[in-house]
C-alpha cells in the first residue's frame, strides 16, 4: 500500500505544495506563454506529474503509471464517448443539409437582429453546447449570425459572450461528470449546486447580448424578451440539474429559452429599419429566403427531440435501475493507495457504466437520427469514423489532462496544494471561482479545469471549514466565464467569421465582460458560503 504524504519536501507543506504545482505550471506555461498545442502540453505535463509523484512524493512507479492509465481510460469512457457520439449526431444533420433547414427556421422567427442574437447565439448555441461543446457553439453561432447580416466582429463577440451559462453542463454534462469523478462527490450533488449558480448568469447574459448588439437602445427596446428568455432558460436549467438529469440541463434550458422567446409578442414585431441598418452591416445570405417543406423542418428538429426523449425515458426509476445493472465495478489493477490518515482512497475502485452513461444514450439517439434523416448505415458509420478523426487531437488532450489529474490526485500532490491553499480561510470562497476561470482561460475547457483543480478545491474546502460541494461547483461555475477569453475559443471565433489574426481585438472586447461576470460569480459564491445566500444550497 502507498500512503500519501503531504510534506515530502524538507517536511515543509509550503515547499511540497510548490513542487506539486510543477505539472500544472508546466501545462499553463506551455499553453499560455509558449503557445504549444494543447495535446503536446498535456503530454509533457503528464510526464512532469509522473516524475514528481515518483521521485518526490514517493509513489511507486508502477502505481503511478496505473493511476495515469485509469485517468486516460476515464477520459475515453465515459467522457469522450459522450463527445464523439454527440458530435456525430450534429455531423449527420450537416451532411443531410437539415442543419441548413434549422438555420433558416431560426432566421424566420424574427427579423429583429437583437432577437436573432438571442435565438441563435444564446438558445441554439446552448443546444450545440449541450450536444457537442469544445468550440462548436461559438463557430456555428458566429457563422449563422454573419449569414443573417451581422458584422463579423459583432457576430464573434456575441457568440463568445453567449457561450457562458450552458458550459458547465455542456457536452451532455461532461464537465460536471468529470468534476464528480475527480472529487468523489456524487454527480447529483455536484449538479445540484452548479445548478444553483450558473442559472443566475442566464438571467444576465441575454440582457448583455442585446446591449452588445444595439447598445442602450437595444436594452431599452428588447429588455422584456431578453429577460423572459433568460428567466425561462435559468428556470429550466435549475429544474433539470436538480430534479431530472445533469445531461438534460442545457437541452431543456435551450428549448425553454427559445420557446419563451417565441411566445413573447414583442419578440415577433418587425424591427425598425434604423435598427437593422445600424446593426446588420454585413451581407445577408440569400438562402435564408428559401421555403422549406414542413416535413423537412420537423426532421431537422428530430435529432434533438430524440435525445430529449431518450434521456427522459432513461430517468424513469425502473428504466434507470435496469440500465444501471450493466455497470461494472472492479478494483483497478496495480493500485493500492491510502490517504495520509491511512484510509483507502476511492480511486482504488473503478466503475464502468456501460449503458447508463450519456454517450450510450446519445448513440441510441444517433441511430434514430440516421433513420429519420435517411442516412444509410454505411454513411453513418463513415461519419462516426470521421468524427473520431476530427477529434483526434482533442482525444489526446483530454486523456492526457485526465491522466495528469489522476496522478496528481492519487499521489497526494493535489492534497498538498489543497492543504496549503486552505490557509486563505474565508477568502477561499472568493478565490475559488477565479481558479476555475483561470483554468478554463488557459485550457479552453471546463472539463479540463475541473479535472485539474476539482480535487484541490475539495481538499482546500475541507481544511478551511467550507463546503466541499460549494467550492467544487464554484470551480466549474467560475470556469464558464473563462471560456470567452481562452485562446482556443478566440481562434475558433476568428476563423469562423474570417478574422484570422485578430484574436487580440476580440480579446480586448470580451475581457471586460469576462471579468465583470466573474466578479458577480465570486460574490455569489461568497454569499452562498455565508448565511446571506446559504439558503440557496441544498
Amino acid at each position: 500500500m502507498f500512503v500519501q504524504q503531504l510534506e515530502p519536501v524538507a517536511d515543509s507543506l509550503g515547499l511540497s505544495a510548490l513542487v506539486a504545482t510543477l505539472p500544472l505550471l508546466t501545462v499553463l506555461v506551455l499553453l499560455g506563454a509558449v503557445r504549444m498545442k494543447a495535446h503536446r502540453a498535456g503530454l509533457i505535463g503528464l510526464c512532469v506529474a509522473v516524475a514528481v509523484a515518483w521521485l518526490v512524493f514517493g509513489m511507486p512507479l508502477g502505481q503511478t503509471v496505473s493511476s495515469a492509465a485509469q485517468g486516460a481510460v476515464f477520459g475515453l469512457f465515459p467522457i469522450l464517448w459522450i463527445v464523439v457520439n454527440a458530435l456525430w449526431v450534429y455531423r449527420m444533420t450537416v451532411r443531410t443539409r437539415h442543419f441548413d433547414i434549422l438555420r433558416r427556421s431560426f432566421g424566420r422567427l424574427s427579423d429583429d437582429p437583437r432577437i436573432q442574437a438571442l435565438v441563435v447565439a444564446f438558445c441554439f448555441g446552448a443546444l450545440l453546447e449541450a450536444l457537442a461543446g469544445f468550440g462548436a457553439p461559438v463557430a456555428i453561432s458566429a457563422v449563422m449570425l454573419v449569414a443573417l447580416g451581422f458584422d463579423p466582429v459583432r457576430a464573434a463577440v456575441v457568440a463568445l459572450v453567449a457561450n457562458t451559462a450552458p458550459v458547465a453542463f455542456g457536452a451532455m454534462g461532461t464537465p460536471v461528470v468529470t468534476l464528480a469523478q475527480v472529487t468523489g462527490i456524487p454527480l447529483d450533488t455536484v449538479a445540484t449546486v452548479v445548478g444553483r449558480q450558473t442559472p443566475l448568469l442566464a438571467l444576465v447574459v441575454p440582457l448583455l447580448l442585446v446591449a452588445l448588439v444595439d447598445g442602450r437602445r437595444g436594452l431599452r427596446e428588447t429588455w422584456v424578451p431578453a429577460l423572459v428568455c433568460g428567466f425561462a432558460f435559468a428556470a429550466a436549467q435549475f429544474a433539470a440539474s436538480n430534479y431530472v438529469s445533469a445531461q438534460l440541463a442545457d437541452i431543456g434550458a435551450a428549448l425553454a429559452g427559445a420557446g419563451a422567446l417565441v411566445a413573447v409578442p414583442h419578440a415577433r414585431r418587425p424591427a425598425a429599419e434604423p435598427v437593422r441598418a445600424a446593426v446588420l452591416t454585413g451581407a445577408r445570405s440569400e438562402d435564408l429566403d428559401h421555403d422549406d417543406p414542413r416535413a423537412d423542418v420537423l426532421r431537422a428538429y428530430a435529432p434533438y427531440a430524440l435525445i430529449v426523449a431518450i434521456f427522459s425515458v432513461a430517468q424513469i426509476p425502473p428504466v434507470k435501475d435496469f440500465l444501471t445493472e450493466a455497470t461494472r465495478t472492479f478494483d483497478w489493477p496495480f493500485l493500492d493507495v491510502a490517504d495520509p490518515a491511512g484510509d483507502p482512497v476511492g480511486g482504488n475502485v473503478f466503475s464502468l457504466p456501460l449503458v447508463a452513461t450519456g454517450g450510450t444514450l446519445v448513440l441510441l439517439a444517433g441511430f434514430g437520427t440516421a433513420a429519420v434523416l435517411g442516412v444509410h448505415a454505411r454513411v453513418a458509420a463513415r461519419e462516426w469514423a470521421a468524427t473520431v478523426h476530427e477529434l483526434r487531437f482533442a482525444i489526446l488532450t483530454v486523456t492526457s489532462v485526465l491522466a495528469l489529474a489522476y496522478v496528481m490526485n492519487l499521489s497526494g500532490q493535489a492534497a498538498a496544494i489543497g492543504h496549503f491553499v486552505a490557509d486563505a480561510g474565508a477568502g477561499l470562497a472568493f478565490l475559488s471561482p477565479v481558479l476555475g476561470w483561470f483554468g478554463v482561460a488557459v485550457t479552453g475547457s471546463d472539463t479540463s479545469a475541473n479535472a485539474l483543480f476539482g480535487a484541490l478545491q475539495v481538499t482546500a474546502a475541507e481544511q478551511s471549514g467550507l463546503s466541499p460541494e460549494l467550492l467544487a461547483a464554484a470551480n466549474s461555475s467560475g470556469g464558464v466565464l473563462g471560456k470567452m477569453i481562452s485562446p482556443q475559443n478566440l481562434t475558433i471565433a476568428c476563423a469562423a467569421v474570417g478574422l484570422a489574426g485578430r484574436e487580440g481585438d476580440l480579446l480586448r472586447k470580451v475581457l471586460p465582460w469576462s471579468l465583470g461576470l466573474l466578479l458577480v460569480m465570486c460574490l455569489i459564491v461568497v454569499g452562498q458560503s455565508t448565511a446571506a445566500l446559504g439558503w440557496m444550497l441544498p
Side-chain angles (χ1 to χ4, degrees):
M1 176 181 287
F2 165 68
V3 180
Q4 296 173 346
Q5 305 175 62
L6 294 178
E7 302 176 352
V9 182
D11 293 326
S12 168
L13 181 60
L15 290 176
S16 300
L18 183 63
V19 173
T21 61
L22 287 178
L24 296 177
L25 290 175
T26 299
V27 174
L28 299 180
V29 170
L30 290 178
L31 285 173
V34 181
R35 296 189 179 278
M36 182 179 288
K37 296 291 186 181
H39 62 279
R40 294 177 182 170
L43 288 172
I44 293 173
L46 172 60
C47 292
V48 174
V50 168
V52 171
W54 177 35
L55 300 175
V56 179
F57 281 77
M59 190 179 197
L61 183 58
Q63 296 208 47
T64 304
V65 173
S66 180
S67 63
Q70 184 182 151
V73 169
F74 177 71
L76 290 171
F77 192 96
I79 300 304
L80 287 164
W81 180 237
I82 299 172
V83 176
V84 168
N85 289 327
L87 196 56
W88 173 54
V89 172
Y90 162 71
R91 284 179 64 99
M92 285 193 289
T93 66
V94 172
R95 183 181 181 90
T96 59
R97 299 191 178 278
H98 284 86
F99 180 77
D100 292 333
I101 296 173
L102 196 65
R103 177 169 60 88
R104 288 192 288 269
S105 175
F106 289 156
R108 286 191 290 269
L109 289 176
S110 173
D111 72 343
D112 189 325
R114 299 162 301 190
I115 303 301
Q116 291 173 342
L118 294 177
V119 172
V120 173
F122 187 68
C123 297
F124 187 59
L127 190 60
L128 291 172
E129 182 67 39
L131 298 177
F134 291 90
V138 170
I140 295 167
S141 297
V143 169
M144 290 176 71
L145 289 175
V146 170
L148 290 169
F150 278 66
D151 169 73
V153 173
R154 181 174 288 157
V157 170
V158 168
L160 285 166
V161 174
N163 190 222
T164 48
V167 169
F169 296 103
M172 307 309 294
T174 297
V176 290
V177 170
T178 303
L179 185 62
Q181 181 71 19
V182 300
T183 60
I185 300 173
L187 173 60
D188 290 345
T189 302
V190 170
T192 295
V193 181
V194 174
R196 299 177 188 221
Q197 294 172 342
T198 56
L200 299 176
L201 292 176
L203 296 174
V204 178
V205 171
L207 295 170
L208 178 56
L209 292 178
V210 296
L212 285 171
V213 171
D214 194 29
R216 293 182 179 178
R217 177 178 58 188
L219 192 59
R220 184 176 64 252
E221 295 181 358
T222 56
W223 69 269
V224 172
L227 193 60
V228 169
C229 176
F231 182 81
F233 186 103
Q237 191 181 63
F238 163 76
S241 60
N242 277 259
Y243 305 112
V244 183
S245 165
Q247 287 90 344
L248 282 178
D250 278 350
I251 294 178
L255 296 177
L261 191 60
V262 173
V264 178
H266 187 86
R268 298 194 301 274
R269 295 175 188 167
E273 191 54 38
V275 172
R276 294 179 53 79
V279 176
L280 302 181
T281 55
R284 184 175 181 273
S285 177
E286 294 181 359
D287 77 335
L288 292 173
D289 298 322
H290 178 74
D291 288 329
D292 298 298
R294 180 177 294 274
D296 286 345
V297 174
L298 291 176
R299 276 196 290 270
Y301 283 92
Y304 312 107
L306 280 170
I307 290 176
V308 172
I310 290 173
F311 270 85
S312 298
V313 170
Q315 298 307 310
I316 299 173
V319 178
K320 188 174 184 178
D321 293 340
F322 175 75
L323 296 177
T324 304
E325 289 179 2
T327 299
R328 296 291 178 263
T329 301
F330 54 91
D331 293 331
W332 188 259
F334 309 112
L335 199 62
D336 188 9
V337 180
D339 62 23
D343 300 319
V345 300
N348 294 328
V349 179
F350 190 77
S351 293
L352 199 62
L354 298 174
V355 181
T357 182
T360 303
L361 298 179
V362 176
L363 181 66
L364 293 176
F367 293 149
T369 296
V372 171
L373 301 186
V375 180
H376 191 277
R378 188 183 304 109
V379 175
R382 281 203 301 266
E383 285 296 325
W384 194 91
T387 302
V388 174
H389 183 265
E390 179 184 337
L391 291 174
R392 62 192 184 281
F393 293 121
I395 291 171
L396 192 55
T397 299
V398 171
T399 52
S400 61
V401 167
L402 279 162
L404 179 156
Y406 269 60
V407 170
M408 290 190 64
N409 295 343
L410 291 172
S411 67
Q413 295 175 61
I417 299 172
H419 280 74
F420 181 74
V421 171
D423 290 339
L428 187 61
F430 185 87
L431 295 175
S432 184
V434 177
L435 189 59
W437 173 86
F438 180 71
V440 176
V442 174
T443 67
S445 165
D446 201 36
T447 299
S448 296
N450 286 344
L452 291 175
F453 300 133
L456 186 156
Q457 297 266 23
V458 168
T459 302
E462 291 172 343
Q463 293 301 308
S464 61
L466 293 171
S467 165
E469 295 81 5
L470 174 61
L471 294 202
N475 191 84
S476 191
S477 299
V480 306
L481 301 170
K483 190 89 168 177
M484 69 178 82
I485 64 168
S486 68
Q488 294 92 320
N489 255 26
L490 290 170
T491 301
I492 288 170
C494 284
V497 299
L499 295 175
R502 294 185 59 183
E503 288 84 357
D505 294 341
L506 284 187
L507 177 61
R508 284 189 290 273
K509 288 182 177 295
V510 300
L511 181 59
W513 302 113
S514 177
L515 293 174
L517 291 172
L518 175 63
L519 177 60
V520 172
M521 182 54 66
C522 290
L523 295 176
I524 289 172
V525 174
V526 170
Q528 290 179 334
S529 69
T530 66
L533 296 179
W535 53 268
M536 293 179 61
L537 301 180

